[in-house]
């Protein structure tokens, strides 16, 4: 995951909270979780429930084993499109933890369903992603120094995967929950795992992704992106003898010049860049081919599509101008979509955001919860209008997507504890609370 923008919400309630048995004395702000809301009353009931308190303790007691699991998962390589070995291990763990019917779907996602009792319960997905950004052959062995672990993918998202297993281990209730290890979350995968999940399961009412580490940062906004590769092609020829032919590099240069003058809104934040260019074969040859890769992002689908339409038009104009310059029609451009992540937002007053914010405050006693925009598996759910958040798996770390990625297990159990409370409030606890998450109309 990557964080693009942040927004902070102050919760007075968090300061006053005596975890885990008492409810907040008051909540003074207009922020989510006002006293009397369904989420607030659900927490009041859940936090005084002996079974829930015990489960929170069990998760904490499982911390060392969860960390060992995280390290084990990290050392099973999972390059883009090659998550299979890690997926098979994850499936084995699902089976061992009681999901007898767990399986790997046609896209490669590992799925275990805990069936809810009674009808009318919402179906919630709790997930983490199996894939890493690291290509095949990357050394994924752990290096440990002064309590810090260095290894590619140790945090992103081995932590999420391990947190999910700890959570599964600790619960016995009958919530209607689908646990999923997804494939294809990172760049090249283009969310192929969650795309397949939502295609195959039209009955999902809510989605939680455990990705990243920080507990007090919650993602409720999906930054959308469209990426293109543009391949300019012409006849090519000798720079002197065949002068007069159109050049692929010149055509691309015209396109880059036009793109660089585009104006986009600051809010919703909308961006573009020509990230890479390659082309030509020799200094004394009119280039026959040139390629560039373009990245466009926005927090709004509408703005993203507007920008895309303008940019693609400019590229075509550039080709027309290059052809006109040399009175030919030999220059062409092939435009390939290489990245497509939808944008979306979940309202601050929606039950899933309220439930997550309250869980974070209870678990960490942190006064601040930061809401952020990012690109994660939740993008897809958000773009479909399905309530979704991405939450941290616990602990500290950094150098994401680099071979020097590091992790330190500081209060790491906060991750699965946070997921547990959020999950229980959303799906309801049998005989104790009603689900805060709504079953979608027309399901
Ligand atoms: Zn990630």
């Amino acid at each position: 995951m990557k964080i693009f923008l942040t927004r902070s919400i102050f919760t007075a309630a968090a300061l006053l909270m005596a975890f885990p048995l008492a409810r907040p004395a008051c909540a003074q702000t207009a922020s989510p979780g006002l006293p009397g809301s369904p989420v607030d009353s659900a927490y009041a009931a859940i936090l005084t429930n002996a079974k829930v308190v015990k489960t929170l303790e069990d998760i904490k007691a499982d911390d060392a084993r969860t960390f060992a699991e995280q390290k084990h998962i990290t050392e099973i390589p999972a390059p883009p499109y090659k998550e299979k070995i890690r997926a098979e291990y994850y499936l084995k763990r699902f089976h061992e933890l009681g999901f007898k019917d767990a399986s790997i779907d046609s896209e490669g996602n590992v799925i275990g369903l805990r069936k809810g009792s009674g009808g009318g319960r919402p179906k919630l997905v709790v997930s983490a992603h199996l894939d890493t950004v690291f290509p095949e052959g990357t050394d994924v062995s752990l290096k440990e120094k002064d309590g810090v672990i260095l290894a590619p993918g140790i945090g992103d998202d081995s932590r999420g995967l391990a947190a999910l297993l700890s959570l599964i281990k600790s619960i016995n209730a009958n919530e209607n929950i689908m646990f999923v290890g997804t494939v294809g979350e990172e760049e090249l995968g283009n969310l192929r795992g969650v795309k397949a999940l939502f295609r195959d399961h039209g009955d999902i009412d809510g989605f939680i992704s455990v990705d990243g580490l920080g507990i007090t940062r919650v993602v409720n906004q999906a930054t959308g992106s469209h990426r293109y590769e543009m391949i300019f092609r012409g006849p090519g020829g000798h720079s002197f003898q065949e002068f007069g032919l159109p050049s692929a590099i010149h055509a691309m240069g015209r396109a880059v010049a036009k793109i660089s003058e585009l104006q986009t809104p600051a809010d919703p934040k909308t961006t573009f860049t020509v990230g890479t260019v390659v082309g030509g074969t020799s200094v004394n040859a009119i280039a026959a081919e040139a390629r560039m890769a373009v990245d466009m992002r926005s927090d709004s689908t509408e703005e993203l599509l507007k920008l895309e339409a303008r940019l693609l038009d400019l590229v075509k104009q550039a080709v027309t101008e290059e052809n006109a310059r040399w009175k030919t029609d030999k220059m062409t451009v092939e435009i390939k979509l290489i990245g497509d992540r939808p944008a979306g937002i979940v309202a601050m007053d929606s039950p899933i955001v309220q439930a997550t914010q309250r869980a974070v405050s209870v678990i960490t006693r942190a006064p601040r919860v930061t809401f952020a925009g990012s690109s994660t598996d939740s993008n897809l759910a958000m773009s479909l209008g399905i309530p979704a958040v991405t939450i941290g798996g616990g602990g500290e770390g950094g150098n994401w997507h680099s071979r020097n990625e590091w992790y330190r297990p500081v209060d790491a159990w906060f991750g699965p504890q946070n997921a547990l409370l959020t999950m229980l409030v959303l799906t309801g606890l049998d005989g104790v609370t009603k689900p805060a998450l709504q079953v979608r109309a027309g399901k």
Side-chain angles (χ1 to χ4, degrees):
M1 72 178 291
K2 281 174 237 89
I3 301 294
F4 297 127
L5 64 101
T6 60
R7 187 149 51 111
S8 290
I9 298 294
F10 183 82
T11 50
L15 289 172
L16 301 164
M17 198 156 276
F19 169 79
L21 292 170
R23 56 177 296 182
C26 67
Q28 298 166 343
T29 67
S31 58
L34 289 172
S37 76
V39 166
D40 187 70
S41 40
Y43 269 107
I46 278 177
L47 293 176
T48 49
N49 182 280
K51 254 164 59 183
V52 174
V53 173
K54 168 82 168 54
T55 309
L56 289 168
E57 284 163 5
D58 288 348
I59 287 176
K60 188 174 177 184
D62 191 46
D63 184 55
R65 280 208 311 200
T66 302
F67 185 38
E69 180 77 83
Q70 178 184 346
K71 291 191 275 190
H72 184 76
I73 290 170
T74 304
E75 291 195 301
I76 306 171
Y81 288 89
K82 289 176 180 159
E83 301 98 335
K84 193 159 180 278
I85 299 170
R86 186 179 284 187
E88 279 164 357
Y89 171 76
Y90 210 56
L91 177 66
K92 181 172 94 81
R93 295 294 293 123
F94 270 29
H95 285 152
E96 287 165 0
L97 293 172
F99 286 111
K100 299 284 175 254
D101 299 331
S103 60
I104 297 181
D105 72 7
S106 59
E107 194 66 38
N109 299 307
V110 180
I111 298 180
L113 180 63
R114 194 175 287 269
K115 275 259 165 39
S117 61
R121 273 179 181 273
K123 183 187 263 187
L124 178 71
V125 171
V126 185
S127 69
H129 67 86
L130 292 161
D131 59 313
T132 69
V133 295
F134 303 101
E136 216 168 2
T138 303
D139 177 6
V140 290
S141 59
L142 305 168
K143 286 165 196 74
E144 202 155 355
K145 205 183 162 213
D146 305 328
V148 173
I149 305 287
L150 281 161
I154 181 74
D156 184 14
D157 190 22
S158 295
R159 180 63 207 169
L161 292 166
L164 219 65
L165 293 178
S166 178
L167 181 62
I168 291 169
K169 207 182 296 178
S170 69
I171 57 170
N172 294 304
N174 288 321
E175 304 82 12
N176 199 9
I177 298 169
M178 191 186 233
F179 291 96
V180 185
T182 63
V183 293
E185 190 275 343
E186 299 289 5
E187 304 297 344
L188 293 170
N190 267 323
L191 308 185
R192 66 189 180 93
V194 274
K195 283 175 183 167
L197 186 75
F198 283 95
R199 182 195 65 215
D200 298 346
H201 304 271
D203 59 348
I204 297 168
D205 298 298
F207 184 85
I208 295 173
S209 168
V210 186
D211 191 1
L213 303 178
I215 302 300
T216 57
R217 188 194 289 270
V218 173
V219 173
N220 72 324
Q221 199 167 341
T223 303
S225 68
H226 281 182
R227 290 172 183 163
Y228 282 92
E229 184 182 35
M230 324 257 185
I231 309 161
F232 298 81
R233 292 192 185 93
H238 194 281
S239 61
F240 190 69
Q241 275 134 23
E242 283 160 295
F243 184 66
L245 292 174
S247 156
I249 288 179
H250 292 197
M252 187 168 78
R254 290 176 192 272
V256 174
K258 288 175 191 294
I259 290 169
S260 61
E261 294 297 335
L262 279 167
Q263 300 289 333
T264 53
D267 184 22
K269 187 171 179 182
T270 304
T271 66
F272 61 88
T273 197
V274 177
T276 62
V277 294
V278 289
T281 48
S282 161
V283 67
N284 60 354
I286 298 163
E289 189 178 296
R291 302 170 176 248
M292 64 182 187
V294 182
D295 172 85
M296 291 172 256
R297 297 179 191 228
S298 181
D299 289 329
S300 142
T301 301
E302 197 188 330
E303 289 299 334
L304 183 62
L305 294 178
K306 264 201 254 173
L307 168 64
E308 178 182 71
R310 274 152 62 211
L311 192 144
L312 295 184
D313 196 48
L314 292 177
V315 170
K316 288 171 198 157
Q317 268 180 39
V319 171
T320 303
E321 287 172 16
E322 179 66 10
N323 275 328
R325 164 71 180 80
W326 303 105
K327 298 187 176 54
T328 176
D329 58 1
K330 293 204 164 80
M331 181 56 51
T332 60
V333 64
E334 182 188 348
I335 296 175
K336 285 205 278 192
L337 181 69
I338 55 170
D340 177 8
R341 286 166 186 257
I345 187 162
V346 181
M348 294 299 293
D349 62 357
S350 73
I352 197 164
V353 171
Q354 290 189 21
T356 311
Q357 180 176 7
R358 179 58 61 87
V360 170
S361 302
V362 168
I363 296 293
T364 65
R365 300 187 216 177
R368 293 182 81 88
V369 180
T370 302
F371 286 86
S374 180
S375 181
T376 67
D377 270 344
S378 291
N379 277 46
L380 196 82
M382 290 177 190
S383 76
L384 297 172
I386 296 169
V389 285
T390 296
I391 60 177
E396 296 173 351
N399 293 342
W400 305 118
H401 296 185
S402 93
R403 281 158 212 254
N404 296 320
E405 191 172 334
W406 64 272
Y407 181 83
R408 190 189 290 126
V410 180
D411 298 338
W413 61 87
F414 283 172
Q417 283 185 338
N418 181 30
L420 172 82
L421 289 185
T422 305
M423 195 180 88
L424 290 179
V425 166
L426 290 175
T427 57
L429 187 60
D430 272 344
V432 180
T433 63
K434 288 201 171 64
L437 187 65
Q438 282 175 355
V439 175
R440 284 188 297 141
K443 214 171 86 172

